[in-house]
Amino acid sequence: MTTTAAPLLAAGLRVSPGVPLPYGATATPEGINFSIPAGGASSMTLVLYWRGAPEPFAEVVFPRDCRVGGVYSMLVSGLDPEAIEYGYRADGPFAPGRGLRFDARTVLADPYARAFGGRETWGAPYSLDPYPYRSRVVAGEAFDWQGDTPPRTPVEDLVVYELHVRGFTRHPSSGVRRPGTFAGLAEKIPHLLDLGVNCVELLPVFEFDESDNARSSEGRRLFNYWGYNTFGHFAPKASYAASDDAATELKDTVRRLHAAGIEVVLDVVFNHTAEGDERGRTLSFRGLDNPGFYLLAPDGSYLNFSGTGNTFNANSPVGRAFVLDCLRYWVAEFHIDGFRFDLASALVRGQDGAPLADPPLLEAIAADPVLRDTKLIAEAWDAGGLYQVGSFPHYGRWSEWNGRFRDSARRFLQGDHQAAQDLGARVLGSLDLYGRRGPRASVNFVTCHDGFTLHDLYAYNDKHNHANGEDNLDGERANHSWNCGVEGPTDDPEVLRLRSRQVRNALVLLLASRGVPMLTAGDEFGRSQQGNNNAYCHDVLSWIDWGLAADNAELLRFTRALTAFRRTHPALRSPDARGLATTPVDGVPLLQWTLRLGDDAVHVAANAHWETHTVPLPDLTGHLAWHAFADTAAPEPLAPVRPPEPGRVMLPPRSVQVLYAAPFDPSGDPHDT
């Protein structure tokens, strides 16, 4: 072990004061600049490993002249960035009751590291305990963006598509050359374009440990598949790359998506970290500045508003600076277009855990000049019971996942007439929730990664999570799902027809409403998770079976037609459109709404009842007439549908019809397309 400069000189290494910024390890012509903030530490040691070696080849204590304030920075010459891995030992008081957990025995990962060692193969065992999270130095050449220009699609014109990078193309049926990777995602751009998607929202792609799940079930290994346990916020996940350079591959994928007019939003996890509570492993944050990075109770224990054991101290100066540095990095270096913040309401909490009226972090993100053009989307609740849909501190910038749209749409399609009135407000853009922000603040969805797929929503009444190894106790209980008469798979043609109709109904509610629609990958052709509504731990079960695109070609065609219809009709997208919703029959789950912008008008009539109902159509000006676009109950849902008489439309049970205004043709049927 080497702890002074003299032996290092003999080894061909030289140490001199570094520069405090940027944090992390930066390769320069003079050497590698190591900079790590740890304000409460009494000393800091750099630990150097050869790549893959179990023991360090050198440990260097930062000299006194290598500290500026609470930042330790040191330039080390004579190192090959491609040959080493590194970590830190932070010394200081260990007093958990006061929130201090320094322990020089533990080698800490660099939270600013841009890569980590040994993570290239998904699920591969990593045996370099007790310090498996080895930071690496990234010294690659500048990426050629080839004149990349982000699409900067207006928020109201977005059609968002949520996907898991690995699961999207890992199934053999995907037909891509590099399955389960960033490059594989790029190979599926033609599908995204055909579907009418112009924004992909990627489940976590920052480095996480998929093996961080001790459970097994039915002899099968379980994973932390979704990735909501980030340990490397500046490092793209190495096992999501087909090459040995994850950063370059992700940048190339972003560039290709942009060239196709598709924006990239990242699902980011700042509400908690992978360290858990006091029983968890110390990886980095806890050993560098525990009270700066975490919300702590007076006795030093961890406040848990995330459901994972800890809550990130997002509004402390230390926590706020970390998040801002991270977001700026991904926008500047990777040209990312926006971020969806997991359990974002945890980010409004102050040091004592109470919600803040003006959270410094959210205001800083909204006002940051580097982030000026990025989309900001909040999952406006947390696991501590704070539900802020419609009241999330937005500073004129933030949109929200609209959980009320999801719940009202599902309840209505179950046949709940009491949900119709609330759904009426949702389909018009939830102006009762978002006021001056308008419908652009509402990200509407019926399904997402968390919960039933759209197929399973109408194939199961109950969750079937036994394979998760938690005795089916995990996962949401209130799914507002309906199996249409049979639980799970069936050959009954009537049940299958009804299920297909319900799926189409849900898609119409989503894509013919004001607000920003979000589809979940695979729902466009009937992906199933066999009734599992919490598939966070399943690798194979969560892969998308692309063979379903052929098996359910009519559903795929219907979804494509809906997104195309949305693009064609500005009344569905424009913040200036006027809307009116009615529930024409009391006590019956019926809902109609009309959206108008000049001569463009769209009318949707939805019947979630088990009986047929005839409802009136709104009047149009003299030169316009209603034309049929879709009828979810028709044998061919996209074939023209003729209303039974002028000014009225007959709605079969469990069906939705979509009509649009077009010039009246006196030589033909005014209701015919």
Side-chain angles (χ1 to χ4, degrees):
M1 179 182 296
T2 305
T3 57
T4 63
L8 282 173
L9 288 171
L13 304 179
R14 286 178 171 79
V15 172
S16 59
V19 294
L21 295 174
Y23 298 146
T26 306
T28 72
E30 295 77 25
I32 301 174
N33 189 80
F34 294 94
S35 178
I36 184 74
S42 59
S43 69
M44 186 70 65
T45 301
L46 173 67
V47 184
L48 295 170
Y49 300 84
W50 299 122
R51 287 200 175 188
E55 299 294 334
F57 69 85
E59 299 199 19
V60 190
V61 176
F62 282 71
R64 289 187 177 182
D65 61 352
C66 292
R67 178 173 180 173
V68 178
V71 180
Y72 294 84
S73 54
M74 181 168 60
L75 182 69
V76 181
S77 303
L79 289 174
D80 178 0
E82 300 294 330
I84 67 161
E85 297 170 339
Y86 71 97
Y88 296 103
R89 297 187 191 272
D91 204 357
F94 184 80
R98 294 190 288 126
L100 303 175
R101 291 182 175 269
F102 294 104
D103 185 352
R105 296 171 299 177
T106 301
V107 178
L108 305 173
D110 181 358
Y112 284 87
R114 299 186 180 187
F116 290 84
R119 304 288 162 181
E120 297 81 6
T121 302
W122 172 274
Y126 195 73
S127 60
L128 293 178
D129 283 336
Y131 312 122
Y133 298 92
R134 302 283 185 81
S135 308
R136 284 187 175 177
V137 183
V138 175
E141 297 180 358
F143 180 74
D144 181 5
W145 282 98
Q146 302 179 19
D148 172 66
T149 301
R152 292 186 182 148
T153 305
V155 173
E156 60 268 23
D157 292 338
L158 292 177
V159 177
V160 182
Y161 187 79
E162 188 198 37
L163 65 90
H164 186 283
V165 169
R166 177 173 170 82
F168 191 53
T169 62
R170 186 62 186 86
H171 197 280
S173 63
S174 70
V176 302
R177 290 179 292 117
R178 293 157 292 188
T181 66
F182 297 123
L185 165 58
E187 292 183 63
K188 284 296 186 181
I189 288 175
H191 172 77
L192 300 175
L193 292 175
D194 288 345
L195 187 59
V197 167
N198 57 16
C199 176
V200 291
E201 182 175 303
L202 308 183
L203 267 68
V205 299
F206 299 172
E207 194 63 81
F208 64 89
D209 189 348
E210 66 274 11
S211 299
D212 184 21
N213 189 337
R215 291 190 179 91
S216 61
S217 177
E218 301 171 353
R220 291 176 296 184
R221 180 182 177 189
L222 299 179
F223 293 89
N224 199 319
Y225 173 78
W226 286 344
Y228 291 95
N229 63 330
T230 305
F231 70 79
H233 291 76
F234 289 75
K237 184 156 182 61
S239 66
Y240 283 179
S243 65
D244 59 1
D245 187 346
T248 295
E249 187 170 318
L250 176 54
K251 289 176 182 178
D252 184 67
T253 298
V254 172
R255 182 183 62 80
R256 292 175 182 273
L257 286 163
H258 283 177
I262 299 172
E263 296 197 342
V264 180
V265 169
L266 299 185
D267 192 336
V268 291
V269 188
F270 293 114
N271 60 81
H272 72 279
T273 77
E275 292 186 302
D277 59 18
E278 54 273 7
R279 298 166 296 177
R281 294 185 65 176
T282 296
L283 305 176
S284 60
F285 297 103
R286 177 179 296 156
L288 292 169
D289 189 347
N290 192 50
F293 284 120
Y294 291 111
L295 298 184
L296 303 175
D299 64 357
S301 62
Y302 293 86
L303 300 180
N304 181 15
F305 300 108
S306 66
T308 65
N310 67 56
T311 307
F312 194 75
N313 194 350
N315 291 297
S316 72
V318 170
R320 183 168 69 248
F322 179 83
V323 174
L324 285 168
D325 285 346
C326 182
L327 298 177
R328 292 175 187 135
Y329 171 73
W330 287 95
V331 170
E333 293 293 324
F334 287 81
H335 293 199
I336 295 303
D337 302 287
F339 303 94
R340 178 266 186 188
F341 293 76
D342 180 62
L343 295 183
S345 289
L347 306 181
V348 313
R349 295 184 182 272
Q351 186 68 52
D352 61 356
L356 300 173
D358 291 302
L361 173 65
L362 302 188
E363 183 180 28
I365 292 173
D368 190 87
V370 175
L371 306 177
R372 184 194 67 179
D373 298 321
T374 61
K375 274 77 173 178
L376 304 174
I377 304 170
E379 184 182 34
W381 54 84
D382 68 15
L386 184 58
Y387 190 80
Q388 295 182 302
V389 171
S391 61
F392 189 80
H394 57 84
Y395 302 97
R397 286 285 313 280
W398 290 78
S399 301
E400 301 172 17
W401 266 24
N402 192 341
R404 285 187 59 178
F405 183 101
R406 172 199 60 202
D407 296 343
S408 293
R410 289 184 177 195
R411 288 174 51 217
F412 174 78
L413 291 178
Q414 277 184 305
D416 183 349
H417 69 89
Q418 294 180 333
Q421 185 171 1
D422 189 68
L423 182 59
R426 305 303 133 240
V427 298
L428 296 184
S430 294
L431 301 184
D432 58 329
L433 299 178
Y434 300 117
R436 292 182 180 179
R437 282 190 284 170
R440 286 177 289 195
S442 180
V443 177
N444 301 332
F445 64 105
V446 178
T447 64
C448 65
H449 69 276
D450 189 0
F452 281 139
T453 68
L454 188 55
H455 169 277
D456 290 357
L457 192 63
Y458 297 106
Y460 297 90
N461 282 350
D462 304 308
K463 60 187 174 73
H464 296 265
N465 298 354
H466 300 280
N468 295 2
E470 300 181 50
D471 297 322
N472 204 35
L473 298 176
D474 63 306
E476 179 59 57
R477 294 182 180 277
N479 295 288
H480 306 300
S481 62
W482 179 42
N483 65 16
C484 298
V486 176
E487 186 74 358
T490 181
D491 294 327
D492 188 316
E494 289 300 318
V495 171
L496 292 175
R497 275 193 287 271
L498 181 54
R499 288 178 177 178
S500 296
R501 186 184 304 179
Q502 286 288 80
V503 167
R504 291 193 294 269
N505 291 342
L507 289 169
V508 172
L509 296 190
L510 177 64
L511 289 163
S513 297
R514 294 179 82 193
V516 178
M518 184 183 78
L519 294 162
T520 303
D523 277 353
E524 69 269 28
F525 46 66
R527 181 175 76 93
S528 174
Q529 292 176 168
Q530 301 172 22
N532 193 314
N533 77 347
N534 188 33
Y536 78 97
C537 54
H538 291 284
D539 191 11
V540 177
L541 176 65
S542 299
W543 295 352
I544 292 178
D545 181 353
W546 289 86
L548 294 170
D551 295 344
N552 297 322
E554 286 303 309
L555 175 59
L556 179 56
R557 188 168 75 93
F558 185 77
T559 310
R560 288 170 174 164
L562 281 175
T563 60
F565 184 79
R566 185 176 182 84
R567 287 195 305 275
T568 303
H569 292 278
L572 295 175
R573 309 187 318 276
S574 173
D576 299 321
R578 294 180 294 109
L580 177 66
T582 60
T583 51
V585 180
D586 290 339
V588 175
L590 285 171
L591 176 65
Q592 294 190 96
W593 69 93
T594 309
L595 293 167
R596 302 177 190 244
L597 184 69
D599 282 349
D600 184 42
V602 173
H603 183 76
V604 182
N607 175 21
H609 202 220
W610 52 84
E611 295 179 351
T612 298
H613 292 272
T614 300
V615 295
L617 290 170
D619 294 332
L620 291 169
T621 57
H623 71 289
L624 296 174
W626 288 115
H627 295 247
F629 166 69
D631 178 353
T632 64
E636 297 183 32
L638 295 172
V641 182
R642 186 187 306 272
E645 58 183 88
R648 304 179 71 82
V649 63
M650 182 180 69
L651 296 171
R654 311 281 188 184
S655 70
V656 182
Q657 292 188 27
V658 183
L659 302 97
Y660 64 96
F664 171 72
D665 181 2
S667 64
D669 191 313
H671 300 289
D672 199 354
T673 56

